Amino acid sequence: MGMVIEADYIVLGAGMYGLYASQLLVQNGYKTVVLEYDEDSFSRASYINQARVHRGYHYPRSYATAMKSASYFRRFYEDFHFAISSKLTKIYGIAQHYSMTNSKQFKSFCEKAGIPCREVATQTYYKPHLVEQAFLTEEYVLDAKCIKDYFHEKLRETKRCSIHYQVGLKDVTIKGKKYHIKTDDGHVFIAPQVINTTYASVNQVLKKFHVDPFPIRYEMSEIILCQVKNLYKDLGLTLMDGPFFSIMPFGFSGYHSLTSVTFTHHKACYEALPTFQCQQHNPLCTMEQLANCNTCSARPKSFYNSMKQMANKFLAMDMGIQYKTSLFAIKPLLETSKMDDARPTIIKIDGDQQRGPTLMTVLSGKINTVYDLKKVIE
């Protein structure tokens, strides 16, 4: 027979938002339990991303997203400076053709947003007949593993939080004013407050709580890790605003990440629950529970060659890009983001604390906008 564990809060998901929420809760004296489906924290999107500390440059068509990133930039750096490299020389380029933003618009956007950018010699980084203008910006890179270790240490010190790994949700019921969550291993976790930070599995969790899903689409995304022989380690390049690419240091790993708007996203799903053809080859990955794409044998073949060709087409010189490995993750995007590329943080609360338990659900694709969660929790 499984254990029965009671707490003030149950946090679902041990990524950036889940562990950040847990730290806030224990600091305020709450006993907290974290339930994580994978074998370790930060196993999916919190680790598998471009590892950039956003200042908003990437969102000239969504001023609200850019300003949110910019407003939290310095605060995030101060809180997690130990996991961030500020030595990055980050060059944004604006393509001559097929860009949705020209260089004049990009410069005006940066001035309006109050974020620094300075024109630099385009030919140093890009082929000038293909790239209109290059800009030196202020953008940093982070190492997610360092942040994970930091949270683990802080939560261990408090002794008010326990993290349970390889836990699948089987059934959720309400008894009195508390949720009773039964897991696949027979344990029961009880709390009046639950915070859902599962990101790609957000709608799967909401279904178990009998709550309406978010209007999202799912994208199966690939981040390529590579060695770059002819690009010094603290240089990052992003060509925008359209079907282009980005190459930049991946935390403290010694590798660069290579991504492309055209090729990073392999497959898309527009159903409320994630449905992909590759799930037919992995019985552990279903509409009810997503497996980890990064460790799945049925994941797609890499688009490395296509991404490398795109980068070499625009770069001023052959950077000597050599493939190391690929990281895969499912990323949910609000349907409205197709219009202006917005990446808002959505926090939804279901239930009434006066009459019963409450479920808080957070959906955000930006690590440094985690402070939105603090406003609600506190």
Side-chain angles (χ1 to χ4, degrees):
M1 186 172 179
M3 300 182 295
V4 176
I5 300 174
E6 290 202 51
D8 299 310
Y9 279 84
I10 296 172
V11 176
L12 305 177
M16 180 69 187
Y17 278 77
L19 295 191
Y20 180 77
S22 301
Q23 184 186 30
L24 290 177
L25 293 169
V26 298
Q27 285 176 344
N28 285 279
Y30 295 108
K31 181 181 178 182
T32 305
V33 171
V34 182
L35 304 183
E36 168 58 49
Y37 183 75
D38 288 323
E39 297 179 358
D40 195 6
S41 310
F42 280 62
S43 293
R44 304 198 189 196
S46 292
Y47 168 66
I48 301 169
N49 56 69
Q50 289 178 313
R52 73 169 91 217
V53 183
H54 279 275
R55 190 152 188 174
Y57 297 103
H58 211 60
Y59 299 100
R61 290 178 288 113
S62 177
Y63 188 70
T65 301
M67 289 306 298
K68 179 65 68 68
S69 297
S71 66
Y72 287 148
F73 177 81
R74 194 60 59 186
R75 180 179 176 183
F76 190 86
Y77 175 73
E78 291 173 355
D79 287 348
F80 300 102
H81 59 90
F82 56 87
I84 294 173
S85 172
S86 60
K87 298 178 181 179
L88 178 68
T89 298
K90 185 58 194 293
I91 306 296
Y92 274 80
I94 305 297
Q96 288 275 13
H97 307 288
Y98 307 111
S99 176
M100 288 176 275
T101 303
N102 62 37
S103 60
K104 183 178 179 180
Q105 291 170 330
F106 181 76
K107 191 172 182 178
S108 175
F109 156 75
C110 291
E111 291 174 355
K112 183 179 178 182
I115 53 180
C117 81
R118 178 169 59 87
E119 293 184 13
V120 294
T122 303
Q123 65 271 18
T124 302
Y125 307 98
Y126 303 102
K127 294 172 182 173
H129 67 286
L130 295 177
V131 177
E132 179 184 349
Q133 181 61 59
F135 295 90
L136 174 65
T137 64
E138 184 181 24
E139 194 170 76
Y140 301 160
V141 292
L142 63 88
D143 192 284
K145 290 185 176 180
C146 289
I147 297 179
K148 177 190 75 171
D149 293 342
Y150 164 81
F151 279 129
H152 281 182
E153 181 62 28
K154 289 295 183 181
L155 293 173
R156 190 161 43 242
E157 289 174 358
T158 67
K159 300 181 180 179
R160 293 195 195 99
C161 179
S162 59
I163 305 178
H164 301 257
Y165 295 106
Q166 295 182 283
V167 173
L169 306 189
K170 184 176 182 180
D171 183 54
V172 179
T173 57
I174 296 176
K175 296 181 181 180
K177 292 187 177 182
K178 296 182 179 181
Y179 286 114
H180 288 237
I181 299 177
K182 187 173 183 180
T183 58
D184 291 339
D185 54 9
H187 300 326
V188 177
F189 297 87
I190 303 172
Q193 311 273 0
V194 175
I195 302 179
N196 174 17
T197 70
T198 54
Y199 196 48
S201 295
V202 62
N203 280 350
Q204 295 175 315
V205 169
L206 291 178
K207 182 180 179 181
K208 289 181 169 62
F209 281 80
H210 307 288
V211 173
D212 291 338
F214 281 113
I216 58 179
R217 72 183 188 274
Y218 302 87
E219 294 181 344
M220 185 178 296
S221 302
E222 177 186 15
I223 304 288
I224 289 173
L225 298 188
C226 54
Q227 291 180 319
V228 186
K229 288 187 174 182
N230 300 323
L231 186 71
Y232 70 87
K233 66 176 183 178
D234 293 322
L235 176 64
L237 301 168
T238 294
L239 185 63
M240 55 185 296
D241 173 29
F244 305 115
F245 72 95
S246 184
I247 183 166
M248 55 192 300
F250 189 71
F252 301 147
S253 68
Y255 298 112
H256 277 63
S257 66
L258 175 62
T259 56
S260 160
V261 172
T262 303
F263 300 108
T264 285
H265 306 301
H266 283 243
K267 302 177 182 179
C269 167
Y270 296 87
E271 304 296 329
L273 297 177
T275 307
F276 293 93
Q277 189 173 5
C278 54
Q279 289 170 315
Q280 299 175 12
H281 305 288
N282 184 354
L284 298 178
C285 189
T286 68
M287 289 178 61
E288 304 299 321
Q289 177 60 62
L290 272 176
N292 190 333
C293 292
N294 201 44
T295 58
C296 179
S297 60
R299 70 187 198 174
K301 293 183 179 179
S302 175
F303 279 160
Y304 164 69
N305 287 329
S306 297
M307 291 196 208
K308 179 181 177 180
Q309 288 173 11
M310 171 169 282
N312 285 336
K313 174 183 176 181
F314 291 94
L315 293 173
M317 60 179 289
D318 185 351
M319 297 298 180
I321 301 171
Q322 294 186 341
Y323 179 84
K324 173 62 179 178
T325 190
S326 294
L327 306 175
F328 282 87
I330 300 292
K331 299 188 177 182
L333 297 172
L334 289 170
E335 276 298 290
T336 54
S337 69
K338 289 189 295 185
M339 303 299 296
D340 60 4
D341 205 32
R343 297 292 187 274
T345 298
I346 305 298
I347 299 176
K348 184 167 74 84
I349 298 177
D350 293 284
D352 186 337
Q353 201 167 18
Q354 300 301 319
R355 294 183 248 178
T358 58
L359 169 68
M360 179 191 300
T361 301
V362 56
L363 181 65
S364 178
K366 292 287 164 281
I367 284 181
N368 64 323
T369 55
V370 69
Y371 300 109
D372 288 339
L373 189 55
K374 183 175 183 178
K375 297 176 184 177
V376 179
I377 289 179
E378 295 187 341

